[in-house]
Amino acid sequence: MNIINTIINMGPSVMMPIIFFILALIFGVKVGKAFKAGMLVGIGFEGINLVIGLLLNSLGPAAEAMVARFGLNLTVVDPGWPVGATIGWGSPIVPFVVFGGLLINLLLLVFNLTKTVNIDIFNYWHFLLTGGVIYAITDNVVIASIGALIHFVIAIIIADKTAPKIQEAYDLKGVSFAHATSAMYVPIGVATNWIIEKIPGLNKIDANPDLITKKFGIMGEPLTLGTILGALLGVLAGFNITEIMILAIKVASVMVLLPAMINVLVEGLVTVRDAAEATLKKKFPNREFYIGLDTALLIGDPAILATGLLMIPAALLLAIILPGNKVLPFVDLASLVFLIPMVSPYCRKNMFRIFVTGLVVITLVLYIGTDIAPYYTMAAETANVALPQGVDSSTQMANLVGGATTPVGWIIIKLASILK
């Protein structure tokens, strides 16, 4: 556990260069080239984290201002994904689930039941969170561990199934995304896109950023979309003109800088991927392998970022109008973009279809969060996570981004609760 905690605490920017350097050496890359590839991956992750940090830090105050301005008074607060990660990594099931997940992934690879080598260890917290909530309900390590590992296997299956389409859409060869939150919403994206295709008029709406750029020139470019959306969010937050302009520039900066940081990471990834492909094809000529990575690589797409920004006021509106909802969207408002990157290819990168999918996803998340809030709060207490400062002690918790509030996580939690 000390070894695992040390690796996790390093963060992706340190962990990934080490992993990719070792992988490169295993696949026959020379030391110098392997070092460069690993460092490019690390630098890319650091750049992505810096830009995402800029986005979250910029949108955080705007989201808080919107919550205050709309006068929301709900009894389940969203403390953000960092609390979810703390619950996941702080639960007693960690050693069983982490080593169990690695073993299951290895066995699936050996028996040719998966193509994904999931090295996205930090994001194990998504299915660990599902297990953490189950443990809070059942007080049973075995049941909680099995629930978390089922969630893990489902994510691996979806990663395999979605990899070809995602690779083509994002021009990322040889990777997949066993993300136990984002992956769970792919079926919803497929279903939503199918329904829209059947509705006359709606099926003609094409809000693809590339098409918008062709039609409207500079008005359709990511920097312009970012400026407009940033200013819109500032207005909704009630900012003054100076604050609106600052937010608009920061959001535009993210729209331009994030793809550039992803390109740096991909440059290092390509070296390892090509070496792995050549080596594995010699030993397994009839097999294909994917490297499982974080969906942070996908959110730099203009369609994803722009739609994610629009989902912030939409989430607040849904929280107000949905009957029976008790969840107050708060800290995770700025992270809603992580719910939709894997659905985009199935919605043809059409922002209208992605947005409609996002509305369905947020609706489900709010109701699931309302339902599991008592258990989620118990799980937080088990992991020694306190309510955010200034929040009433009678308030419960449930985050918007995390495995426990996905439909799959909820189903696993409800089934496990029967065995209590």
Side-chain angles (χ1 to χ4, degrees):
M1 281 307 302
N2 286 335
I3 294 172
I4 291 173
N5 287 332
T6 300
I7 293 172
I8 295 303
N9 289 335
M10 288 180 181
S13 300
V14 177
M15 186 168 58
M16 286 303 178
I18 295 172
I19 292 174
F20 273 88
F21 175 70
I22 294 171
L23 284 175
L25 293 179
I26 291 172
F27 293 124
V29 178
K30 292 181 179 179
V31 174
K33 194 173 181 181
F35 172 76
K36 181 180 179 180
M39 287 302 295
L40 283 172
V41 170
I43 292 166
F45 262 108
E46 186 63 27
I48 290 170
N49 288 336
L50 287 171
V51 178
I52 291 176
L54 172 63
L55 177 68
L56 300 184
N57 292 334
S58 302
L59 293 180
E64 291 179 20
M66 275 187 252
V67 170
R69 196 178 188 202
F70 290 173
L72 297 182
N73 185 24
L74 301 165
T75 58
V76 179
V77 70
D78 152 39
W81 71 263
V83 169
T86 303
I87 294 171
W89 286 111
S91 64
I93 66 173
V94 168
F96 308 102
V97 175
V98 171
F99 290 114
L102 293 172
L103 179 60
I104 288 172
N105 196 177
L106 179 60
L107 291 174
L108 291 173
L109 288 164
V110 168
F111 291 104
N112 196 18
L113 297 174
T114 186
K115 300 176 182 179
T116 296
V117 184
N118 187 14
I119 64 171
D120 187 21
I121 297 173
F122 177 78
N123 280 319
Y124 274 31
W125 75 264
H126 289 274
F127 52 88
L128 279 168
L129 177 58
T130 299
V133 174
I134 293 173
Y135 179 77
I137 298 171
T138 64
D139 197 28
N140 188 308
V141 169
V142 175
I143 294 174
S145 298
I146 291 172
L149 290 171
I150 290 172
H151 197 162
F152 170 76
V153 171
I154 293 172
I156 288 280
I157 293 169
I158 294 176
D160 278 354
K161 297 294 184 183
T162 58
K165 199 169 187 73
I166 288 177
Q167 288 174 20
E168 180 183 1
Y170 292 99
D171 193 24
L172 291 170
K173 185 183 175 185
V175 299
S176 65
F177 299 90
H179 197 279
T181 293
S182 299
M184 302 302 111
Y185 299 117
V186 170
I188 296 173
V190 173
T192 303
N193 186 72
W194 182 84
I195 292 170
I196 291 175
E197 281 286 351
K198 304 298 180 183
I199 302 175
L202 292 184
N203 58 9
K204 300 298 182 184
I205 299 174
D206 192 357
N208 186 299
D210 292 335
L211 183 63
I212 294 172
T213 301
K214 287 179 182 178
K215 284 187 175 181
F216 301 103
I218 187 67
M219 293 304 296
E221 290 191 10
L223 64 91
T224 309
L225 286 174
T227 304
I228 294 170
L229 291 172
L232 174 62
L233 292 174
V235 171
L236 291 173
F239 285 178
N240 61 41
I241 186 64
T242 301
E243 292 170 324
I244 291 172
M245 292 176 67
I246 291 173
L247 182 60
I249 293 296
K250 287 185 175 180
V251 173
S253 300
V254 171
M255 296 284 283
V256 174
L257 292 175
L258 192 52
M261 294 301 100
I262 291 171
N263 287 338
V264 173
L265 187 151
V266 170
E267 184 180 345
L269 175 64
V270 165
T271 300
V272 181
R273 183 200 67 200
D274 290 347
E277 187 176 43
T279 302
L280 292 171
K281 283 204 170 182
K282 288 179 183 177
K283 295 184 178 181
F284 308 99
N286 298 319
R287 291 191 60 183
E288 185 179 15
F289 294 88
Y290 307 137
I291 298 174
L293 295 175
D294 189 346
T295 49
L297 268 72
L298 305 180
I299 68 168
D301 186 273
I304 301 301
L305 269 178
T307 308
L309 295 173
L310 290 172
M311 284 169 59
I312 294 174
L316 291 171
L317 180 60
L318 286 172
I320 296 170
I321 65 175
L322 288 175
N325 170 60
K326 297 180 181 178
V327 177
L328 171 66
F330 193 52
V331 181
D332 267 345
L333 281 170
S335 302
L336 293 177
V337 66
F338 285 96
L339 300 180
I340 56 174
M342 292 181 68
V343 309
S344 177
Y346 296 89
C347 294
R348 301 182 182 179
K349 287 192 176 183
N350 184 327
M351 289 189 294
F352 170 72
R353 298 185 182 196
I354 299 171
F355 182 69
V356 174
T357 301
L359 295 180
V360 176
V361 167
I362 293 170
T363 299
L364 289 172
V365 167
L366 291 174
Y367 279 129
I368 291 171
T370 298
D371 184 57
I372 69 168
Y375 309 125
Y376 190 99
T377 307
M378 288 167 56
E381 292 170 353
T382 301
N384 296 316
V385 175
L387 281 165
Q389 188 174 7
V391 176
D392 187 89
S393 59
S394 64
T395 302
Q396 296 175 326
M397 289 187 280
N399 65 314
L400 303 181
V401 179
T405 46
T406 64
V408 169
W410 179 75
I411 290 170
I412 294 172
I413 290 168
K414 300 302 281 189
L415 290 175
S417 65
I418 298 173
L419 303 175
K420 181 178 177 182

